[in-house]
Amino acid sequence: QVQPVESGGGLVQAGGSLRLSCAASGSIFSINFMDWYCQAHGSQRRELVARITANGSTMYSDSVKGRFTISRDNAKNTVYLQMNNLKPEDTAVYYCREVIDGRQVWGQGTLVTVSS
């Protein structure tokens, strides 16, 4: 199955920044919305971090509001997550999810580690 592909994770100190990228599996114009989720080590649950819809509307979880920005580049079929003022509690695997006509497709994830 074709999946979105995440990149940009890594190790950063608290207060630093990272930009994650998610290359869509197909044409970004066919996607209803794209999400970034995170899953902390040892947690069974993925939590929604940010969403961008087909018309460009965005939403964020309370924990990242004001620090993270989701955006899209239609020409590159890519969605970004700019992460600023990172905190140790942001440490997680970050996953991109596409939703197309009710069907969801997940990427493999990219690890973000924030040291204190």
Side-chain angles (χ1 to χ4, degrees):
Q1 181 182 5
V2 180
Q3 298 173 293
V5 178
E6 303 96 334
S7 61
L11 174 64
V12 65
Q13 288 190 330
S17 298
L18 282 175
R19 189 178 78 157
L20 306 184
S21 299
C22 173
S25 62
S27 169
I28 201 168
F29 294 104
S30 67
I31 297 170
N32 301 124
F33 53 89
M34 292 184 74
D35 297 330
W36 283 100
Y37 277 77
C38 68
Q39 184 170 9
H41 180 68
S43 172
Q44 305 261 342
R45 202 165 145 253
R46 294 181 184 180
E47 298 183 10
L48 179 62
V49 174
R51 170 173 293 170
I52 188 163
T53 67
N55 66 5
S57 298
T58 59
M59 63 82 70
Y60 301 92
S61 68
D62 287 343
S63 62
V64 307
K65 209 171 287 185
R67 299 189 297 124
F68 292 9
T69 303
I70 189 169
S71 62
R72 55 193 277 171
D73 184 331
N74 293 338
K76 295 183 178 179
N77 262 359
T78 299
V79 169
Y80 302 99
L81 186 68
Q82 178 66 44
M83 310 164 72
N84 297 331
N85 190 21
L86 282 159
K87 305 175 180 180
E89 53 264 41
D90 294 321
T91 295
V93 177
Y94 284 74
Y95 295 91
C96 181
R97 181 182 80 147
E98 300 172 347
V99 177
I100 304 171
D101 296 333
R103 182 176 60 91
Q104 61 180 356
V105 183
W106 292 87
Q108 294 289 335
T110 185
L111 176 63
V112 171
T113 303
V114 185
S115 64
S116 56

